[in-house]
Every structure is written in structure tokens, then in C-alpha cells.
Amino acid sequence: MVGATRGATEGRPVAIEDDVLVVGGGLAGVTAALAAADTGVRVRLVSHKESTLRQASGVVDALGALDGTLVSDPYEAVERLSDGHPYRTLGADALRSGFDLFDGTVTGYEGSHTDANALVPTHGGTVKPTARYPESVAPGLASDDRPMLLVGFETLPDFDAPRAAAHLERVGVPFAVHGVTLDFPGNLRADAAVTRYADLLDEAVPVDGGRVDARTALVERVKSHLSGAERVGFPALLGHEAHDEVRAELSQRLGADAFEVPMGPPSLPGTRLADQLYAAMDDAGVGIETGNPVVDVTTDGERVTEVTVERTHTAVPYAAEQYVLATGGLVGKGIASNRESVRERVFDCHVPHPADRYDWSVEGAYGDHAFARFGVRIDADGRPLDASEDVEYENLRAAGGVVGGADVAAEKSASGVSLATGFTAGRLAGEEVS
Amino acid sequence: MASVPHITVVGGGSTGTGIARDLAMRGLDVTLVEKGNLTHGTTGRMHGLLHSGGRYAVSDQKSARECVEENYVLREVATHCVEETGGLFVKRPEDAEEYFEEKLQGCRDCDIPVEVLSGAEAREMEPHLAEDVDRAIWVPDAAIDPFRLCVSNALDAERHGARVETHAEVTDVLVEGGEVTGLEVRHDSGPGKRVHGSPGGTERIETDHVVNATGAWAGRIGDLAGVDIEVRPSKGVMTVMNTRQVDTVVNRCRPKGDADIIVPHETACILGTTDEEVSDPEDYPEEGWEVDLMIDELSELVPMLQEARTIRSFWGVRPLYEPPEVGSEDPTDITRDFFLLDHEERDDLPGMTSIVGGKLTTYRLMAESISDHVCAQFGTTTTCRTADEPLPGSEDFTVLADAMKRFGLRSPVARRSSQRLGSRTESVLSRCDPNPVLCPCEAVSRAEVRDAIDQAGTDLNAVRLRTRASMGNCQGGFCSHRIAGELHPTHDEPTVDDALTELVEERWKGERHALWGEQLSQAALKYTLQATTMNRDADPVDDDVDWGAFDAGERSAADGAVTDGGRRDEGSDGGTTGGD
Ligand SMILES: Cc1cc2nc3c(=O)[nH]c(=O)nc-3n(C[C@H](O)[C@H](O)[C@H](O)COP(=O)(O)OP(=O)(O)OC[C@H]3O[C@@H](n4cnc5c(N)ncnc54)[C@H](O)[C@@H]3O)c2cc1C
Ligand SMILES: Cc1cc2nc3c(=O)[nH]c(=O)nc-3n(C[C@H](O)[C@H](O)[C@H](O)COP(=O)(O)OP(=O)(O)OC[C@H]3O[C@@H](n4cnc5c(N)ncnc54)[C@H](O)[C@@H]3O)c2cc1C
């Protein structure tokens, strides 16, 4: 379904019209678009850059830590969050619905069989709590007691397998773990991107002087280090297009489950997830436009009437009945700041923040930073509130990182907040139209 | 007294390392003790301007002359630490014409090479200068890397037999029979390379003479020895920008003032500074208005600074000294000259000499004069060679093109490494194959980090200072864990983890003063990488984890092998999909 156009009036370009317009194409925007499309209305999503999903490690957090302590049941822990947290505002049911939508959309993910968080080994060597994880990550869970081997590569300084193993041991994981650093087959140059590693495995490229293919060479290198391990963790580069096949072959030939340890950007599991979600939007008939930012908005004071997208040197108006703001937080660039203040970039919604910028952060890199909670505040319908707690615009809702009140990094709740707020915003926007 | 006199130098800044090298080259037995890592004091927190002397050409001509002489010496002997940027004193319409003329004359009086440029000519050299800058004086200012400078001096001191001991704080000055006979030193328990002594242990160092080169801390050492040294510490702020808005040092041509210099360094520009007396060189307020002042004032010279991205700010304290009888009220009036305090002559306490005041640009001269003084006491007649003998790393630059080819490094990486390493490039880079880049912002490869670790041990801040790793845009967001990884398995995992934490915290401290705009977004990304992706903030390493309360996977759930935690709440909306 593509948006209809409104009759052109003199001197201004024709507005592209839809029922619901989502601004921002990260996890929150996609969730909102899918939830809205589910109500049977016409939905369009416009997004400036690639979403931060491609940087994200690919696991989907709900709520994993409070005050630095791991939480096993996110739903039970929601009550312990402070007022103003989006989970408190929207309720634990919104979180559950968000995850239901995710589970119904994406394949190749696990974790939906239980409410409990899983502990996934990180590339820094500890474990982190998360709610959904790719199948490629699943055999690595820390509550599983099978002995583990971690494999790192000389050319890939992001993952130091022996050190990660030593740290996991110190964390007290319930299994034996050791690590080894090997040469990756295929003579990649020292600074090759992870995608180059994945390509070699995907295509089973001949290596070692054409003697064997890359998968075989990798198996040969790893095999002598197994010493009883029943699962083998690699940095997340086990194939791209053919990742299921690569993992299955490695597992079968090693006689141990091959799995991926989630990594920093650029992240293959994150990219795989982004690709799936965009395909799902396509299937749901969402109009998708990426590459151009929304630069301006028109309102009548009460309602948003139009937004302007900047295409190369032309400004194109987009109109809809309902709007969803999902431009991300400080990282996704939905929230901006200068020396004096913090603001929401597109609609200029109110963003509460301390007046003195030295109060935006605290001493201690992982302290209780105000900046981590920067974002718009929403009501129970997901609508941004102004400084006097009134709704900013009747037909505007916000979702994801642009919503404040949660320190999603400390809580391990980033994707969960996007799912809960994205679901609420999209569903209610759709319902209001229909 | 032993046949070779044993001299203990206190302080591992530019002055102390310079003295240690000079004395060791003259054949004396030298020990240097420093309470932190090298450059822990003011030397690691300064502006990095190799003065042409132009700055002092009106107010302090003796200092100006020393500066220009030393400037040309260091270009020769410390080539790998100096970037020959040149400098401009630029005049805006509201700045006095007479002062411009005085400055010009002053430079000429002090033999500082100058050239007068019109506003247009100055903008041709530096296109981002303000439109209304009307005149400028070119001077031979340069940028100097204080970290490389100190490390090279310390390395060469060691090559000449000196013992260099970092993380060793002097806790007492031993006085016997009215004479200084030694020092008591406490070895720190923090990370770092310890040659002798164990963490937490103390050591008595017997010595023939103590040289107090502790800069702003000189009064503290004086107190331990029972003598008064009237150091007047004065703080200054420096603000680091993310790119080089200028390639030439830009000074404002007006009488002393705050926020009047921009120094280009490597990939960045540093704005500075202020001058305000403080009572404690380690505990003074670092205030946001100082940062604002840098940006607001200096954007009058380079307007684009107003909107440019700041990556961090830091503060340092000048070790200013003036004889008590002068009594300047304003610290900017205190001379930038240095003073040699012979405590025998001054306080009737033989066995110790202090050196105070001065600036980095003249460190070699300061070292020469105090070394002359010490040698004279012991009848040593060897002469100073530091003005002629290049520092290690500085001798030979021809290896550059070679190394680039041989190591197949992308050219900016090779270029930047060879700038940092000078003639050591080849030997350092050849030690490591493959040699991936660990810090992309500053183009620092594994080989360079390993080389720095050999020198600095587990002290990653010292590694950072030697290599610039983690000092770029991302402030360690993408590279801290990679740098730490290089310590393992030589050092055990808990030590590596502590070293990483220390690096992360140090980076954060300075970054907090640049937390707005792009850099706040960058900080949020770093926080995401370290807390969300790696969970460093809630690492359960010190907690007991109830592993059984967490999901062990669908496979285990199906097997019933491991019990998983909470069952899905069947009462809530919707059935579960996916996963099977
Ligand atoms: C490095 C990293 C690691 C992560 N790891 C995890 C993890 O392990 N677990 C987890 O649960 N979550 C993780 N996340 C978080 C998660 O991926 C999402 O970033 C988060 O849920 C917020 O999503 P969002 O959709 O609100 O924002 P974003 O993903 O930031 O998306 C915002 C989108 O809006 C677009 N946009 C911004 N302004 C405009 C405009 N004016 N016009 C049009 N479009 C605009 C941007 O280009 C972008 O595409 C991670 C994030 C990062 C950055
Ligand atoms: C803001 C600012 C900008 C500056 N800019 C410039 C410039 O651009 N160009 C220039 O030439 N000069 C500049 N200077 C001046 C220059 O930085 C200093 O003069 C010079 O670095 C002083 O070096 P130092 O070795 O004497 O002192 P420091 O570097 O302070 O060394 C003293 C050392 O003694 C150690 N120490 C102290 N107590 C003990 C103890 N009890 N036991 C063991 N060790 C101890 C300290 O840890 C410290 O490392 C600037 C100074 C400031 C503050």
C-alpha cells in the first residue's frame, strides 16, 4: 500500500498522505509501524540513517539489572522501577505485548519459552541478562552447564578469548571454560572488517594454498583445542547469508555446538535482525523511505498537520492523521544538546533536564547519569508531555530511545523499552485512525 | 662517599626526567622517583606549546630569549616530539595598535624571527581566522608532545644506567647531622611497572644528593626536609577540540589575558588557558565557566569554534615561583623564569637542591643548569651534551617510507606511528605480525601498544600517554578493552580488568567537561557499548549468581537438563509465538 497524494495547491508541492507516519527506523519505529499496520491502516515509515540495530549486538533485552544487580524476572522487576519510567507509565502488559509482536515477527530467535532472563557471555568476558537471543547465540548461555571453549582470532582484537574465559571463570559460571587465540584461515589483512570473515565462511572459500575450504580449515584449527568442550564460542562472524548452514556444519564437524558471542559494531547479528524486521514491514505493506531526514513540522497548535522531509535540495511534505516519533535518543540523534540545554530535534517536545550541564553526569563512568535518562516524557497513551505535563500534540506519540526516564544501558532494557513504547504508540495510532 | 656520586631526582615531569638524563649522561649514578607515572604532574596537563618566546617578548624578555634558543635546540634533538607548526599573533580591530608594535619590537630585541602579515595573508595561511583580523605576526612557535619527550628522556637515562622508578612517592626526607642523607619512598599498590620494591612496601634510598624537581609540589618536599619553598601553584584549563581548526599556533596579540592561544596537536586542537592561583596543586575546582570562556573568547579569533565539537577538557597547575620579597598579587605577573634553590646556601641544609618555576620549553636548560650545579659539588667535570645528542627515537627519519612498505600498513597508520616512534619505528613495528590497529581514532596499532606496555607495565594510562591510544574522538569507547587485552596473559586476568577500569575512569574524568552536543552523543554511545553490550557496569564478578534462576535455553528446557527460572505467566494476554 502506498500513500495517496492530496490535490496540489498552487506554489507548494503535493503532500504525501498516509494514515500513520512513523519518523525513525530503529527498533522502536519498526515496532510502531508493524503494530499500526496490524490495525489495518496505511502506514509509512521515514528514516534518516541506518538504524542503530546494525550496531546493536543482536540480543533483545527486557529488563536485566537494577542498581547493578542482575534481575532474573523482568516482569516482576517492573514494579521496582521508579516513577516516570516508561514501563511504569505503560504497564508491564505493554512490555509483554511488545515481545509478543517481536516473537510473532522474527524467526531464529529463542527465549520466548520463559519469562526468565538468559545470561549471555559478552565479548568483554562477563555475562549479560537478556530476554531474546538469536539461535546462533543460544548454545552459549551461562546457565547451561556444558563445558565451553572460546575461540578468538589474532587479527580481531575485539575478542580476547583466553581473557574472556578467565573472567567467566572468576564470575563463577557453572561450567568449565577455556579460551584460545588462533589464526583465522584465509590470510585476511590485519584490519579486515568482520563481514570479510563472514564472507569467507559463507562462500567456503578455498584457503591454505587452495588445500581446503575456509570452514574445513577453521574446524581443523579448532579441533585440537576442544579438550572435552561440548560447545565452542566464536566472535559473531559465523557467516552472513548462510549463517545457519555455516553454524550447522561447524557444529557437526567439531562434534560440539558452535555459537556466537555478541560483539560491538558493526554487528552481524544486529544486521541480520534489521534485515528481518525491514522485510516484515515490507510484507505488512508499510511504505518505507530511508536516507532522508525530517527537518520541519507544521502544526495548528493542537495537532501536527504535516512534516517536511528533506530530499536532495527539495523539501517534500508528508501528511498523516497520526504521527509516531521514533528518532532515537542521544545515540540515534533524536535528542540533541548544546552547552545550555537539551532538546528533542524534530517536534521540539519538552525534554526535562538539569539546568547546569555539570549535573547531566556524575563522577564515575558508570554512575547514575542524568543524561542516560534524557528524552521526552509520555502519558499512558504514549503521547509526549510538555513542561506543564499537558499533551504536546493530540496526534503525536513517541517510542524508543527518544522517550526518557529509563537508563536503558544500566537496566539492560534498551530493546524492551523500544518494543513496549513502539507497540503502544503504533497500536493506539492505528486504532485512532480506524 | 662512593666513588661515583649517587644522585636521587624526585619528580618524573619534564624537569626531573631531563635532569636524570643529563646527570646519567655525565656518568653519575642516578635514581629517579616519581609518585605517579611519568608526566603525572603538570607536564601531562599542559598546552604543548614549544614557545618561540613571542609570548614573553614584551613582559619577560629573559624568558623570551631562553625560549627561542631552546626552541631551536629541541627541533634538533627531539625531532619526533616537535611539530613545526609556526605561530601567529593575530590582532583584531579592537586590539591596540601600540601593543602590536611593542610585540614586534620585543621579538626583534630577543632575536625571535618574525614576519608581519596582513589580515588577508594571515587568512591565506589559516582560512578559518575571523574576517576582521587585521594584522598578524608570524613567529616560530611549534607544538611539542610532552609525553614522548619525557619518555624519551627517561629511556635515555636508563640507557645510561639510571634507575627510573614510577609509582614511588617520597614520604620523608632523611636528615642526619644537619644534612640530607636520603629519602623514604613508598611503593604504590596501584598498577604500573615496579622495578624494585613491592606494592605497599617502603624503601629507604641512601643518596649523596637529592634534586627536588617536583614542580608545584616542591613545597611539600621542602616541608619534609624542614625548609620553606614558596611555590605559588596557578591553575589553567585546556579544552580539546575534535579536529584541527588551525594548523598554526594562534595567539591573540594583546597584553596578558585568559583564553588566548590555540595549539594544533596531532588530530586535535587545544584551546587555552586561564591563570588562577590555587592553594593545593591536587585539589582545586574545575569549573564549567572556564570551558565556556575558552570557546567564547577564542571563537573571536576562529569563529567556527563556537559550533565545533569539544572532546574533553583538563586542567594543570603551573609551578610558579617568585622570591617571597617580590609579592606579586596577580599570578600572571609572576615571572616564568626558573630558580635554582641551593638549600645549603639558603637554609644551611646541605645535600639537597630544588628547582622551581620555568616551563616545559626550557626544561633542557633547567636540567643543564642544575646538573652543572650538582656536578660542581662533586667535582665532576664532564660537560653537558644534551643540546647536541638527539633523544632516542629522534635520530633518523629515513626508516619511514621503508617501514610503511614493509609492514603493509595503511599509510596514515604508518605515518602516525613513525611520527610517534621516530627512529624506533622499524624495531617496534616489526615485533608483531599480524599487527591490527587497536585505536582507530589515533591510528595506534598492536605493536605500538605492546612496546608501550613493555615500558609502562599494567599502567594503561601510561600506555595511553606513550601512544595516544584512546585519546581521540571516541575517548576509549571502541578501544579500551582492546588495549587492556594486550596485557593478557602476561598479566593475570584480575590485574588486566583493574587496569581497564582505571583507564575507563581516567578517560571519563576529562570527558565530563565536554559533555554536550556531539560529544555527549558519543559518550552515550560509549556508555551503551560498555554497559549494554558488555555489561561492565553490572558485571556479577563479585556476586553470587543463582544460575538456576536464569534461562538455560530451549534445548535445556526441552531436555529438562537444567531447570530454568520463572514460567511464562499463562494468565497474561496472548499466547506465545515463535521459538519452536
Ligand atoms: C551499540 C549499541 C548496542 C546495543 N546493544 C543492545 C543490546 O545488546 N540489547 C538491546 O536490547 N538493545 C541494544 N541496543 C539498543 C537498540 O538497538 C536500540 O538502539 C534501542 O532500542 C533504541 O531504538 P530506537 O528505534 O528508539 O532508536 P534508534 O535505533 O537510534 O533509531 C532511530 C532512527 O531514527 C532515525 N532518525 C533520527 N532523526 C531522524 C529524523 N529527523 N528524520 C528521520 N529519521 C530520523 C535515525 O536515523 C535512526 O534510524 C544497542 C544500541 C546500540 C547503539
Ligand atoms: C595550564 C598550563 C599550560 C602550560 N602550557 C605550557 C606550554 O604550552 N609550554 C610550556 O613550555 N610550558 C607550559 N606550561 C608549563 C609547564 O607545563 C611546566 O612548567 C612543566 O611541565 C613543569 O614540569 P616539572 O617537571 O617541573 O613539573 P611536573 O610535571 O609537575 O613534575 C613534578 C612531578 O613530581 C611528582 N611528585 C610530586 N610529589 C612527589 C613525591 N612526594 N614523590 C615523588 N614524586 C612526586 C609529581 O607527581 C610530578 O610528576 C603550562 C603549565 C600549565 C599549568
Side-chain angles (χ1 to χ4, degrees), chain A residues 23-30 46-62 128 130 263-265 278 292-295 326-329 331-334 345-346 399-403 408 412-419, chain B residues 525 528-529 532-533:
Chain A
V23 184
L27 181 59
V30 175
V46 291
S47 185
H48 183 199
K49 299 235 171 89
E50 282 195 342
S51 88
T52 58
L53 278 169
R54 288 173 199 278
Q55 300 179 301
S57 58
V59 300
V60 181
D61 305 347
K128 81 157 252 183
T130 194
M263 303 280 287
Y278 271 71
N292 302 305
V294 170
V295 291
T327 47
V331 179
K333 308 284 166 67
R345 262 194 165 126
V346 176
V402 76
V403 176
V408 296
K412 323 300 156 191
S413 64
S415 294
V417 168
S418 288
L419 291 173
Chain B
L525 174 60
T528 307
L529 291 170
T532 299
T533 310

Side-chain angles (χ1 to χ4, degrees), chain B residues 293-335:
Chain B
L293 184 75
M294 291 308 113
I295 296 167
D296 294 340
E297 288 282 312
L298 284 164
S299 51
E300 291 185 7
L301 301 185
V302 179
M304 73 187 298
L305 291 173
Q306 193 61 256
E307 298 303 324
R309 173 165 164 195
T310 301
I311 58 180
R312 59 194 284 117
S313 286
F314 60 97
W315 277 255
V317 277
R318 296 175 189 81
L320 300 185
Y321 176 87
E322 67 175 15
E325 59 277 14
V326 181
S328 300
E329 301 242 315
D330 183 338
T332 58
D333 290 333
I334 300 175
T335 175

Side-chain angles (χ1 to χ4, degrees), chain A residues 114 126 133 158 167 339 412, chain B residues 306 481 493 537 539 551 566:
Chain A
T114 171
T126 184
Y133 40 88
D158 258 328
H167 193 85
R339 278 188 276 157
K412 323 300 156 191
Chain B
Q306 193 61 256
H481 63 288
E493 188 278 322
D537 64 320
D539 181 359
D551 174 16

Side-chain angles (χ1 to χ4, degrees), chain B residues 91-378:
Chain B
K91 178 185 158 315
R92 289 184 46 83
E94 65 269 30
D95 301 334
E97 200 66 51
E98 304 80 67
Y99 186 77
F100 188 88
E101 294 303 329
E102 257 184 274
K103 179 71 86 185
L104 194 59
Q105 191 53 48
C107 287
R108 288 180 172 139
D109 292 345
C110 299
D111 296 321
I112 300 167
V114 286
E115 194 182 324
V116 178
L117 305 177
S118 68
E121 286 167 333
R123 273 184 295 277
E124 211 161 284
M125 187 178 277
E126 283 304 332
H128 298 303
L129 281 181
E131 280 303 310
D132 51 356
V133 160
D134 52 22
R135 292 173 85 191
I137 306 172
W138 185 93
V139 292
D141 280 343
I144 184 158
D145 182 324
F147 309 118
R148 259 177 263 164
L149 183 71
C150 285
V151 170
S152 304
N153 270 291
L155 211 70
D156 207 37
E158 286 184 322
R159 285 186 181 178
H160 287 90
R163 167 186 171 195
V164 176
E165 191 81 32
T166 57
H167 299 283
E169 179 174 6
V170 170
T171 48
D172 202 6
V173 176
L174 308 174
V175 181
E176 269 170 43
E179 191 177 346
V180 173
T181 58
L183 297 168
E184 187 181 86
V185 168
R186 185 175 56 225
H187 292 282
D188 194 5
S189 57
K193 190 168 184 174
R194 281 174 294 272
V195 185
H196 306 264
S198 50
T202 56
E203 178 185 352
R204 283 168 73 97
I205 299 178
E206 310 280 322
T207 197
D208 298 315
H209 200 87
V210 169
V211 175
N212 173 17
T214 52
W217 290 262
R220 303 263 173 100
I221 298 292
D223 292 344
L224 296 175
V227 297
D228 270 339
I229 303 172
E230 302 79 5
V231 183
R232 299 191 40 190
S234 150
K235 74 164 173 174
V237 66
M238 283 141 295
T239 295
V240 188
M241 311 306 290
N242 80 322
T243 55
R244 281 170 73 120
Q245 284 85 4
V246 294
D247 291 315
T248 310
V249 174
V250 174
N251 302 263
R252 180 137 189 195
C253 190
R254 65 178 179 196
K256 70 178 186 202
D258 285 340
D260 59 358
I261 319 186
I262 309 168
V263 184
H265 271 284
E266 310 257 341
T267 55
C269 255
I270 306 183
L271 316 185
T273 172
T274 45
D275 198 341
E276 212 185 318
E277 197 153 346
V278 297
S279 50
D280 184 336
E282 276 175 16
D283 187 15
Y284 49 85
E286 301 181 339
E287 288 160 290
W289 66 263
E290 298 177 87
V291 177
D292 290 337
L293 184 75
M294 291 308 113
I295 296 167
D296 294 340
E297 288 282 312
L298 284 164
S299 51
E300 291 185 7
L301 301 185
V302 179
M304 73 187 298
L305 291 173
Q306 193 61 256
E307 298 303 324
R309 173 165 164 195
T310 301
I311 58 180
R312 59 194 284 117
S313 286
F314 60 97
W315 277 255
V317 277
R318 296 175 189 81
L320 300 185
Y321 176 87
E322 67 175 15
E325 59 277 14
V326 181
S328 300
E329 301 242 315
D330 183 338
T332 58
D333 290 333
I334 300 175
T335 175
R336 265 40 180 174
D337 205 354
F338 66 88
F339 294 84
L340 189 159
L341 310 180
D342 177 341
H343 295 295
E344 175 166 16
E345 187 187 285
R346 185 176 176 267
D347 308 295
D348 245 350
L349 182 70
M352 180 163 106
T353 310
S354 295
I355 183 146
V356 286
K359 60 191 91 42
L360 183 118
T361 302
T362 53
Y363 89 95
R364 197 210 57 84
L365 186 67
M366 293 164 72
E368 175 173 348
S369 84
I370 199 159
S371 299
D372 284 347
H373 175 81
V374 170
C375 286
Q377 309 223 333
F378 295 97

Side-chain angles (χ1 to χ4, degrees), chain A residues 153 155-156 184-207 213-215 218 235-242 246 260 265-268 271-272:
Chain A
F153 301 107
T155 39
L156 207 83
F184 195 85
N187 283 326
L188 288 170
R189 67 178 171 79
D191 296 313
V194 284
T195 47
R196 301 275 297 114
Y197 294 78
D199 290 346
L200 287 180
L201 293 174
D202 251 7
E203 292 154 25
V205 173
V207 295
D213 72 276
R215 296 180 197 170
L218 184 57
L237 47 71
L238 298 183
H240 194 62
E241 302 296 322
V246 169
E260 293 188 314
S267 157
L268 289 182
T271 306
R272 295 175 198 139

